[in-house]
């Protein structure tokens, strides 16, 4: 349940009350409040400025995007989110590959502006290049983020899921 709430708050970037979230996810408001306080303790959500008449607390995502290396203070919470996100990615990729439609020609896809469902590779980067790559990717994500550009949800907009992982090569040696 906590992970569904994390996904909703990060996806919409809109504050919500425990009651609103409870109704959408089939819990009682008190149970949802319990989960929200735990997510706050771990750094995934935060209390937003009071809205309405002040009787209900509003909650929001702690950041514009979920970056588990900088959002969560708890190693267990971070690993839990990593596990769920990777399982979700595995499930989405599997459904995508198995869908009934014929898979288009990759060359046609590129010409039509489609993105690869999964791409892997390795880089050899200096610390300066790694910092530059991170900055440039961050700029692109901000450009398309619902936080900085809410108009991206216009007519014809399609939700796209993304997962980035840049791990040091020596992690295999540990």
């Amino acid at each position: 349940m906590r992970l569904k709430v994390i996904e909703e708050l990060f996806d919409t970037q809109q504050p919500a009350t425990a009651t609103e979230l409870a109704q959408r996810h089939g819990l009682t408001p008190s149970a949802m409040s319990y989960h929200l306080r735990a997510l706050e303790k771990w750094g995934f959500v935060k209390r937003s400025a009071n809205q309405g008449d002040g009787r209900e607390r509003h909650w929001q995502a702690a950041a514009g995007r979920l970056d588990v290396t900088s959002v969560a203070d708890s190693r267990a919470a971070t690993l839990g989110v990593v596990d769920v996100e990777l399982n979700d990615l595995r499930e989405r990729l599997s459904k995508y590959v198995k869908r009934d439609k014929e898979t288009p020609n990759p060359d046609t896809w590129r010409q039509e502006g489609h993105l690869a469902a999964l791409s892997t590779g390795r880089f050899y980067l200096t610390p300066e290049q790694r910092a530059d790559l991170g900055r440039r990717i961050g700029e692109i994500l901000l450009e398309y983020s619902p936080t900085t550009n809410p108009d991206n949800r216009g007519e014809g907009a399609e939700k796209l899921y993304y997962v980035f992982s840049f791990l040091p090569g020596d992690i295999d040696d540990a």
Side-chain angles (χ1 to χ4, degrees):
M1 185 53 55
R2 292 176 185 175
L3 294 165
K4 287 180 181 180
V5 170
I6 288 171
E7 182 177 325
E8 179 178 340
L9 292 176
F10 275 86
D11 183 41
T12 64
Q13 288 294 310
Q14 297 295 314
T17 66
T19 301
E20 293 166 340
L21 292 166
Q23 289 171 347
R24 289 196 285 270
H25 297 285
L27 288 180
T28 64
S30 61
M32 184 57 74
S33 290
Y34 172 79
H35 290 303
L36 288 164
R37 286 190 305 276
L39 291 171
E40 178 186 39
K41 180 177 79 175
W42 292 329
F44 289 109
V45 302
K46 64 183 181 181
R47 299 165 198 238
S48 63
N50 282 342
Q51 299 175 356
D53 62 11
R55 286 183 286 168
E56 286 202 301
R57 178 176 298 134
H58 285 76
W59 298 88
Q60 65 187 50
R65 67 177 186 261
L66 182 57
D67 181 352
V68 296
T69 60
S70 62
V71 173
D73 290 330
S74 161
R75 179 175 282 187
T78 298
L79 290 174
V81 171
V82 167
D83 283 343
V84 169
E85 288 294 332
L86 289 176
N87 287 336
D88 183 59
L89 175 64
R90 184 179 299 110
E91 208 173 290
R92 287 179 191 284
L93 284 169
S94 179
K95 286 178 184 177
Y96 184 78
V97 169
K98 293 177 183 177
R99 60 182 191 178
D100 295 334
K101 296 179 183 177
E102 206 174 285
T103 303
N105 177 330
D107 292 332
T108 305
W109 266 35
R110 287 184 196 97
Q111 292 167 3
E112 294 175 359
H114 290 277
L115 299 172
L118 178 66
S119 178
T120 65
R122 286 164 185 77
F123 299 125
Y124 291 88
L125 303 175
T126 65
E128 294 80 16
Q129 289 171 319
R130 192 165 74 183
D132 182 54
L133 178 63
R135 180 191 53 75
R136 289 168 61 192
I137 288 173
E139 288 172 356
I140 291 168
L141 294 177
L142 276 174
E143 180 181 344
Y144 293 100
S145 168
T147 306
T148 55
N149 193 347
D151 297 335
N152 283 345
R153 292 184 182 211
E155 187 175 329
E158 177 184 10
K159 181 191 275 188
L160 294 175
Y161 289 87
Y162 70 89
V163 176
F164 286 110
S165 175
F166 295 103
L167 302 172
D170 62 358
I171 211 159
D172 294 332
D173 301 332

Short mmCIF file of all heavy atoms in Angstrom, two decimals, residues 6-14 43-46 60-68 70-72 142 145-147 162:
data_model
loop_
_atom_site.label_atom_id
_atom_site.label_comp_id
_atom_site.label_asym_id
_atom_site.label_seq_id
_atom_site.Cartn_x
_atom_site.Cartn_y
_atom_site.Cartn_z
N ILE A 6 3.21 6.08 -2.71
CA ILE A 6 4.41 6.75 -3.22
C ILE A 6 4.26 7.00 -4.71
O ILE A 6 4.49 8.09 -5.21
CB ILE A 6 5.68 5.91 -2.93
CG1 ILE A 6 6.03 5.94 -1.45
CG2 ILE A 6 6.86 6.41 -3.77
CD1 ILE A 6 7.13 4.97 -1.06
N GLU A 7 3.86 5.95 -5.44
CA GLU A 7 3.71 6.09 -6.90
C GLU A 7 2.69 7.16 -7.25
O GLU A 7 2.93 8.01 -8.10
CB GLU A 7 3.30 4.76 -7.53
CG GLU A 7 3.20 4.87 -9.04
CD GLU A 7 2.86 3.55 -9.71
OE1 GLU A 7 3.31 2.49 -9.25
OE2 GLU A 7 2.14 3.59 -10.73
N GLU A 8 1.54 7.15 -6.57
CA GLU A 8 0.51 8.15 -6.87
C GLU A 8 0.99 9.57 -6.60
O GLU A 8 0.85 10.46 -7.43
CB GLU A 8 -0.77 7.88 -6.07
CG GLU A 8 -1.83 8.92 -6.34
CD GLU A 8 -3.13 8.67 -5.60
OE1 GLU A 8 -3.40 7.53 -5.17
OE2 GLU A 8 -3.90 9.65 -5.46
N LEU A 9 1.58 9.79 -5.43
CA LEU A 9 2.00 11.15 -5.09
C LEU A 9 3.14 11.64 -5.97
O LEU A 9 3.17 12.81 -6.36
CB LEU A 9 2.37 11.23 -3.60
CG LEU A 9 1.20 11.06 -2.63
CD1 LEU A 9 1.68 11.06 -1.19
CD2 LEU A 9 0.14 12.13 -2.84
N PHE A 10 4.07 10.76 -6.32
CA PHE A 10 5.16 11.17 -7.20
C PHE A 10 4.67 11.35 -8.63
O PHE A 10 5.13 12.23 -9.34
CB PHE A 10 6.33 10.18 -7.14
CG PHE A 10 7.27 10.45 -5.99
CD1 PHE A 10 7.01 9.92 -4.74
CD2 PHE A 10 8.39 11.24 -6.16
CE1 PHE A 10 7.86 10.17 -3.67
CE2 PHE A 10 9.25 11.50 -5.10
CZ PHE A 10 8.98 10.97 -3.85
N ASP A 11 3.73 10.51 -9.05
CA ASP A 11 3.22 10.60 -10.41
C ASP A 11 2.39 11.86 -10.63
O ASP A 11 2.58 12.58 -11.60
CB ASP A 11 2.37 9.36 -10.73
CG ASP A 11 1.88 9.34 -12.16
OD1 ASP A 11 2.65 9.71 -13.08
OD2 ASP A 11 0.72 8.95 -12.38
N THR A 12 1.49 12.14 -9.70
CA THR A 12 0.59 13.29 -9.88
C THR A 12 1.22 14.60 -9.44
O THR A 12 0.84 15.65 -9.92
CB THR A 12 -0.71 13.10 -9.08
OG1 THR A 12 -0.40 13.07 -7.68
CG2 THR A 12 -1.45 11.84 -9.49
N GLN A 13 2.15 14.53 -8.49
CA GLN A 13 2.75 15.73 -7.89
C GLN A 13 1.66 16.65 -7.33
O GLN A 13 1.83 17.86 -7.29
CB GLN A 13 3.63 16.47 -8.90
CG GLN A 13 4.93 15.75 -9.21
CD GLN A 13 5.86 15.66 -8.02
OE1 GLN A 13 6.14 16.66 -7.36
NE2 GLN A 13 6.36 14.47 -7.73
N GLN A 14 0.55 16.07 -6.89
CA GLN A 14 -0.54 16.81 -6.29
C GLN A 14 -0.72 16.38 -4.84
O GLN A 14 -0.66 15.19 -4.53
CB GLN A 14 -1.86 16.55 -7.05
CG GLN A 14 -1.84 17.01 -8.48
CD GLN A 14 -1.71 18.52 -8.58
OE1 GLN A 14 -2.38 19.26 -7.89
NE2 GLN A 14 -0.82 18.97 -9.46
N GLY A 43 11.26 9.69 4.61
CA GLY A 43 11.65 10.73 3.67
C GLY A 43 11.01 10.67 2.30
O GLY A 43 11.44 11.38 1.39
N PHE A 44 9.97 9.84 2.10
CA PHE A 44 9.34 9.73 0.79
C PHE A 44 8.24 10.76 0.57
O PHE A 44 8.00 11.19 -0.56
CB PHE A 44 8.76 8.33 0.58
CG PHE A 44 9.81 7.28 0.39
CD1 PHE A 44 10.05 6.33 1.37
CD2 PHE A 44 10.59 7.24 -0.76
CE1 PHE A 44 11.02 5.37 1.20
CE2 PHE A 44 11.57 6.27 -0.93
CZ PHE A 44 11.79 5.33 0.06
N VAL A 45 7.52 11.13 1.63
CA VAL A 45 6.45 12.12 1.52
C VAL A 45 6.66 13.18 2.58
O VAL A 45 7.41 12.98 3.54
CB VAL A 45 5.03 11.50 1.66
CG1 VAL A 45 4.79 10.43 0.61
CG2 VAL A 45 4.79 10.96 3.06
N LYS A 46 5.98 14.31 2.39
CA LYS A 46 6.04 15.37 3.39
C LYS A 46 4.68 16.02 3.50
O LYS A 46 3.84 15.89 2.62
CB LYS A 46 7.12 16.39 3.03
CG LYS A 46 6.85 17.14 1.74
CD LYS A 46 7.99 18.09 1.43
CE LYS A 46 7.71 18.86 0.15
NZ LYS A 46 8.81 19.76 -0.21
N GLN A 60 2.25 15.28 0.28
CA GLN A 60 2.75 15.37 -1.08
C GLN A 60 4.07 14.62 -1.20
O GLN A 60 4.69 14.28 -0.19
CB GLN A 60 2.94 16.82 -1.50
CG GLN A 60 4.02 17.55 -0.71
CD GLN A 60 4.07 19.03 -1.04
OE1 GLN A 60 3.05 19.70 -1.03
NE2 GLN A 60 5.26 19.52 -1.32
N ALA A 61 4.48 14.38 -2.42
CA ALA A 61 5.77 13.73 -2.67
C ALA A 61 6.88 14.61 -2.10
O ALA A 61 6.78 15.84 -2.14
CB ALA A 61 5.96 13.52 -4.16
N ALA A 62 7.92 14.00 -1.60
CA ALA A 62 9.02 14.76 -0.99
C ALA A 62 9.93 15.39 -2.04
O ALA A 62 10.76 16.22 -1.70
CB ALA A 62 9.84 13.85 -0.08
N ALA A 63 9.77 15.01 -3.30
CA ALA A 63 10.61 15.55 -4.37
C ALA A 63 9.85 15.49 -5.69
O ALA A 63 8.76 14.91 -5.76
CB ALA A 63 11.91 14.75 -4.46
N GLY A 64 10.43 16.07 -6.71
CA GLY A 64 9.80 16.07 -8.03
C GLY A 64 9.85 14.73 -8.72
O GLY A 64 9.04 14.44 -9.59
N ARG A 65 10.82 13.89 -8.33
CA ARG A 65 10.88 12.53 -8.86
C ARG A 65 11.45 11.63 -7.77
O ARG A 65 12.14 12.09 -6.87
CB ARG A 65 11.71 12.46 -10.13
CG ARG A 65 13.17 12.74 -9.95
CD ARG A 65 13.94 12.58 -11.27
NE ARG A 65 15.35 12.71 -11.07
CZ ARG A 65 16.05 13.81 -11.30
NH1 ARG A 65 15.44 14.87 -11.77
NH2 ARG A 65 17.34 13.84 -11.08
N LEU A 66 11.16 10.37 -7.87
CA LEU A 66 11.62 9.42 -6.88
C LEU A 66 13.04 9.02 -7.20
O LEU A 66 13.32 8.38 -8.20
CB LEU A 66 10.71 8.18 -6.86
CG LEU A 66 11.05 7.12 -5.83
CD1 LEU A 66 11.05 7.70 -4.43
CD2 LEU A 66 10.08 5.97 -5.92
N ASP A 67 13.95 9.45 -6.36
CA ASP A 67 15.36 9.13 -6.49
C ASP A 67 15.76 8.49 -5.18
O ASP A 67 16.03 9.18 -4.20
CB ASP A 67 16.15 10.42 -6.76
CG ASP A 67 17.63 10.19 -6.92
OD1 ASP A 67 18.09 9.06 -6.68
OD2 ASP A 67 18.33 11.14 -7.27
N VAL A 68 15.76 7.16 -5.14
CA VAL A 68 15.92 6.48 -3.86
C VAL A 68 17.26 6.71 -3.20
O VAL A 68 17.40 6.50 -2.01
CB VAL A 68 15.64 4.95 -3.98
CG1 VAL A 68 14.21 4.70 -4.35
CG2 VAL A 68 16.60 4.29 -4.93
N SER A 70 18.58 9.61 -2.78
CA SER A 70 18.59 10.89 -2.07
C SER A 70 17.30 11.18 -1.32
O SER A 70 17.26 12.09 -0.54
CB SER A 70 18.87 12.02 -3.06
OG SER A 70 17.85 12.09 -4.02
N VAL A 71 16.26 10.40 -1.54
CA VAL A 71 14.99 10.68 -0.87
C VAL A 71 14.88 9.93 0.45
O VAL A 71 14.59 10.50 1.48
CB VAL A 71 13.78 10.33 -1.78
CG1 VAL A 71 12.48 10.47 -1.03
CG2 VAL A 71 13.78 11.24 -3.00
N ALA A 72 15.15 8.63 0.43
CA ALA A 72 14.93 7.82 1.63
C ALA A 72 16.15 7.84 2.56
O ALA A 72 17.27 7.72 2.10
CB ALA A 72 14.61 6.39 1.24
N LEU A 142 13.55 17.31 -16.00
CA LEU A 142 12.83 18.50 -15.53
C LEU A 142 11.98 19.13 -16.63
O LEU A 142 10.88 19.61 -16.39
CB LEU A 142 13.81 19.54 -14.98
CG LEU A 142 14.24 19.35 -13.54
CD1 LEU A 142 15.32 20.35 -13.17
CD2 LEU A 142 13.07 19.43 -12.60
N SER A 145 8.89 17.00 -16.79
CA SER A 145 8.28 16.68 -15.50
C SER A 145 6.94 17.39 -15.33
O SER A 145 6.80 18.56 -15.66
CB SER A 145 9.22 17.11 -14.38
OG SER A 145 8.57 17.07 -13.15
N PRO A 146 5.95 16.68 -14.75
CA PRO A 146 4.67 17.34 -14.46
C PRO A 146 4.82 18.44 -13.41
O PRO A 146 4.00 19.34 -13.32
CB PRO A 146 3.76 16.22 -13.96
CG PRO A 146 4.66 15.10 -13.61
CD PRO A 146 5.94 15.27 -14.37
N THR A 147 5.90 18.39 -12.63
CA THR A 147 6.14 19.42 -11.63
C THR A 147 6.49 20.75 -12.27
O THR A 147 5.96 21.79 -11.90
CB THR A 147 7.30 19.00 -10.71
OG1 THR A 147 7.02 17.72 -10.18
CG2 THR A 147 7.48 19.98 -9.57
N TYR A 162 9.81 5.53 -16.69
CA TYR A 162 11.25 5.46 -16.91
C TYR A 162 11.94 5.01 -15.64
O TYR A 162 11.47 5.24 -14.53
CB TYR A 162 11.82 6.79 -17.41
CG TYR A 162 11.83 7.90 -16.39
CD1 TYR A 162 12.92 8.07 -15.54
CD2 TYR A 162 10.77 8.79 -16.28
CE1 TYR A 162 12.93 9.08 -14.60
CE2 TYR A 162 10.79 9.81 -15.35
CZ TYR A 162 11.86 9.95 -14.52
OH TYR A 162 11.88 10.96 -13.60
#
